[in-house]
C-alpha cells in the first residue's frame, strides 16, 4: 500500500513541472495538492477563456465585428442548440452549456500549442465536468418531476400501463437498465473527452519524437522518416484541431440533450 | 508473466470493444449522409441527431478503453 | 487500495489515470464555477442582450421596410388611379371641345348658308327690280323710238288713232316677249 503511494507521489511529481511541488512531503498532500501539468494548462485555459469572453463582451456592438462577433456567433450557436435540445425551458441553461463549451474548447485548442497540454487531457478534469453535468441534470429532473415521478419516468409509459406482472418483470428490468445507462452517461462523457484529447496528444508526441529521432540519425533513411513524420504530424495537427472543436461541441450537445431529457422526462 | 497477460487482455479488450462501435458509427455516418443528401434542408437536424447517435454508440468503445487502461495497470 | 492509476509504460512514461486524482478535481471545480459565474454575469448576459436587441432591431427594421413598401405600393396605386382619372378627364375635355367645335362649325356653316341665300335672294330681287325698271325704260324708249321710226318711215300718213293702235300692239308684243 505504501509502496503504491510512493509510486503515485513520484509519478505525480514526474508529470508536474512546477518547482514548488517539492514542498509537499507526504503522499496524501502530494495527491491532494500537487499542481499537475494538466491543471497548470487548465488554469491557463481558464484565464484565456475568461479574458477572451470579457474582452469580447466589451467589444459588443449592434454591428457585429471582430472578437465580439466570434463570441456572439459561438454563443448564438450554443443557444440555438439549447433551444433545439431543450425547448424554451432550456434557455436559462444556455450560459452553463456555453461556459462548458468555451472552457473545453479553449482547453483543447491550447493543447495544440507545441509544448502545451490540453487541460481536458486528464480524466480528473473531464470526470469533474461530467459529474457536474450528471448532478445538474438529475437535480433538474428531480426538481421538475418530483422524486418518484422522475424515477418513474425511467420506465416507458407502455410498461407503466401493463398489469402488475409486466410491471414487476419488464418494468424492473428496464428500470435497472436505465439506471445503469444514466450512470454510464458521465463515465462516457468524461472518457470520450479525455481519451480524444489524450490520444491526440500522444499521437502528436509520437510523430514529434519520430521527427527528432529521424533527424538525429543524420542518414538518408532518417531524414525520410523525419519528412514523412512531419507530413503526418501536420495532418494529425489539423485533425486534432477539428477534434478539439468536435469534442467541445459533442460535450455541450450531450449535456443539453441530457438536461432536455430530464426536463421532458414525462413525455415518453 | 501475469503483467504481460494483463497487457494482452487490455489490447484484446479495446480491440474487440472497438469492432462493434466502429461498424455502428460507420452505419450512422453513412445513413446521415444519405439523409442529408435526400433532404439538404434538414442537414442541421440530421447532423445533431447523428452526433447524439454516434455518442451513444461510442460509449461501448469507451468502456473498452477504460477496461484496457484498468487491465494494463 | 484499488488499482487506480494505470501507467502507459512502467518506467519513465507519463501516467494515465482512469480514476481521477484529488489534486485535479478541486481545481477544476473551482475553475469551472468561477468561470461560470463570471461569464454568466459579464459575458453571456451582455452577449445575450446584444443578440436579442439586434434581433429586435432587425425585426423592427424589416417591419418598417415592409410598412414602407406597402405605403409606397399604395401611393403608386393612388398615383396610377389619379393618372388614369386625369387621362380620362383630358379625353373628355378633348371630346367636349371637339363637340363644341363641331357644333360651332355646323352653326357657322348654317349661318353662312343662310347669309349666302339671303345675299342671293337680295341680288335676285335687285336684279328683278332693275330688270323691271330697265324693261319699263326700254318700253318707253321703244315706244318713242318706234313712233319716231314709224313717223319717219310712214310720214304723215298715219292718223293719230292708228298711231295709238300700233303703239299698243307693239307694246303688247314687247310685253309678251318680256313675259317669256
Amino acid at each position: 500500500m505504501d509502496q503504491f503511494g510512493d509510486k503515485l507521489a513520484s509519478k505525480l511529481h514526474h508529470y508536474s513541472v512546477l518547482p514548488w511541488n517539492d514542498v509537499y512531503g507526504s503522499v496524501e498532500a502530494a495527491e491532494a495538492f500537487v499542481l499537475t501539468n494538466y491543471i497548470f494548462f487548465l488554469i491557463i485555459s481558464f484565464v484565456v477563456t475568461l479574458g477572451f469572453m470579457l474582452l469580447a463582451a466589451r467589444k459588443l456592438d449592434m454591428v457585429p465585428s471582430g472578437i465580439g462577433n466570434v463570441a456572439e456567433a459561438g454563443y448564438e450557436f450554443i443557444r440555438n442548440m439549447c433551444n433545439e435540445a431543450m425547448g424554451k425551458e432550456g434557455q436559462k441553461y444556455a450560459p452553463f452549456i456555453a461556459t462548458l463549451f468555451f472552457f473545453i474548447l479553449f482547453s483543447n485548442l491550447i493543447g495544440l500549442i507545441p509544448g502545451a497540454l490540453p487541460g481536458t487531457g486528464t480524466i480528473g478534469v473531464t470526470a469533474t465536468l461530467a459529474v457536474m453535468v450528471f448532478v445538474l441534470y438529475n437535480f433538474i429532473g428531480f426538481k421538475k418531476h418530483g422524486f418518484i415521478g422522475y424515477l418513474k419516468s425511467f420506465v416507458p409509459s407502455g410498461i407503466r400501463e401493463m398489469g402488475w406482472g409486466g410491471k414487476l418483470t419488464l418494468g424492473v428490468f428496464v428500470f435497472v437498465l436505465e439506471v445503469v445507462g444514466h450512470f454510464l452517461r458521465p463515465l462516457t462523457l468524461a472518457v470520450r473527452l479525455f481519451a480524444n484529447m489524450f490520444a491526440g496528444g500522444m499521437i502528436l508526441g509520437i510523430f514529434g519524437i519520430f521527427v527528432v529521432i529521424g533527424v538525429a540519425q543524420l542518414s538518408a533513411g532518417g531524414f525520410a522518416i523525419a519528412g514523412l513524420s512531419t507530413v503526418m504530424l501536420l495532418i494529425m495537427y489539423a485533425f486534432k484541431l477539428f477534434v478539439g472543436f468536435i469534442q467541445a461541441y459533442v460535450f455541450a450537445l450531450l449535456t443539453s440533450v441530457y438536461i432536455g431529457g430530464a426536463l421532458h422526462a414525462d413525455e415518453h | 508473466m501475469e503483467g504481460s497477460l494483463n497487457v494482452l487482455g487490455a489490447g484484446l479488450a479495446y480491440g474487440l470493444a472497438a469492432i462493434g462501435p466502429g461498424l455502428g458509427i460507420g452505419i450512422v455516418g453513412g445513413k446521415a449522409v444519405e439523409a442529408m443528401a435526400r433532404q439538404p434542408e434538414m442537414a442541421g437536424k440530421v447532423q445533431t441527431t447523428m452526433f447524439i447517435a454516434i455518442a451513444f454508440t461510442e460509449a461501448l468503445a469507451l468502456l473498452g478503453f477504460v477496461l484496457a487502461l484498468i487491465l494494463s495497470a | 487500495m484499488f488499482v487506480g492509476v494505470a501507467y502507459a509504460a512502467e518506467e519513465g512514461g507519463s501516467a494515465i489515470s482512469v480514476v481521477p486524482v484529488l489534486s485535479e478535481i478541486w481545481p477544476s471545480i473551482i475553475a469551472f464555477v468561477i468561470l461560470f459565474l463570471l461569464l454568466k454575469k459579464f459575458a453571456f448576459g451582455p452577449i445575450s442582450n446584444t443578440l436579442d436587441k439586434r434581433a429586435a432591431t432587425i425585426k423592427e427594421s424589416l417591419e418598417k421596410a415592409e410598412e414602407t413598401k406597402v405605403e409606397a405600393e399604395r401611393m403608386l396605386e393612388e398615383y396610377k388611379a389619379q393618372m388614369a382619372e386625369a387621362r380620362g378627364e383630358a379625353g373628355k375635355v378633348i371630346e367636349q371641345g371637339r363637340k363644341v367645335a363641331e357644333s360651332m362649325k355646323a352653326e357657322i356653316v348654317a349661318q353662312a348658308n343662310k347669309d349666302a341665300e339671303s345675299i342671293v335672294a337680295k341680288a335676285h330681287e335687285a336684279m328683278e327690280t332693275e330688270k323691271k325698271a330697265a324693261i319699263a325704260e326700254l318700253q318707253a324708249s321703244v315706244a318713242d323710238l318706234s313712233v319716231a321710226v314709224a313717223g319717219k318711215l310712214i310720214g304723215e300718213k298715219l292718223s293719230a288713232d292708228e298711231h295709238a293702235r300700233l303703239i299698243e300692239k307693239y307694246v303688247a308684243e314687247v310685253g309678251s316677249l318680256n313675259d317669256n
Side-chain angles (χ1 to χ4, degrees), chain C residues 20-149:
Chain C
V21 182
L22 191 61
S23 66
E24 288 182 338
I25 293 174
W26 60 264
S28 348
I29 293 179
I30 292 172
F32 182 79
V33 169
I34 292 174
L35 194 63
F36 172 61
L37 293 178
L38 286 178
L39 288 189
K40 191 182 178 187
K41 189 152 181 4
F42 296 113
F44 296 141
I47 288 175
S48 196
N49 280 344
T50 310
L51 287 175
D52 290 343
K53 221 189 287 168
R54 183 178 305 143
T57 311
I58 289 171
K59 202 175 159 209
E60 201 175 291
S61 11
L62 277 181
E63 266 166 15
K64 209 171 269 175
E66 185 65 29
E67 235 167 64
T68 315
K69 198 181 147 200
V70 167
E71 176 74 18
E73 257 163 26
R74 197 183 58 73
M75 276 169 93
L76 183 68
E77 212 58 36
E78 210 168 86
Y79 283 143
K80 266 187 190 160
Q82 276 178 3
M83 200 78 141
E85 203 175 303
R87 203 165 282 162
E89 202 103 312
K92 228 185 270 173
V93 167
I94 289 171
E95 193 57 36
Q96 214 161 356
R98 189 174 291 154
K99 252 184 221 160
V100 168
E102 216 116 283
S103 70
M104 270 168 89
K105 185 179 146 196
E107 213 170 281
I108 288 166
V109 168
Q111 187 68 36
N113 279 349
K114 220 162 79 184
D115 284 358
E117 260 166 34
S118 76
I119 287 166
V120 168
K122 258 180 208 161
H124 270 295
E125 216 173 290
M127 261 162 64
E128 207 65 30
T129 42
E130 255 171 58
K131 201 169 115 187
K132 273 183 186 153
I135 286 170
E137 205 178 312
L138 209 64
Q139 274 176 348
S141 59
V142 163
D144 282 348
L145 264 174
S146 43
V147 169
V149 169

Side-chain angles (χ1 to χ4, degrees), chain B residues 2 4 8 12-13 23 28 37 48 53 71 73:
Chain B
E2 202 191 313
S4 54
L8 182 67
L12 278 178
L23 290 172
V28 169
T48 309
L71 280 177

Side-chain angles (χ1 to χ4, degrees), chain B residues 2-22:
Chain B
E2 202 191 313
S4 54
L5 273 182
N6 270 353
V7 173
L8 182 67
L12 278 178
Y14 183 62
L16 292 176
I19 294 174

Side-chain angles (χ1 to χ4, degrees), chain A residues 1 31 33 46 85 109 209 213 223 234 258:
Chain A
M1 201 68 74
E31 225 189 338
F33 296 113
F46 166 81
L109 293 183
I209 289 167
I213 292 174
F223 285 127
L234 289 176
Y258 292 157

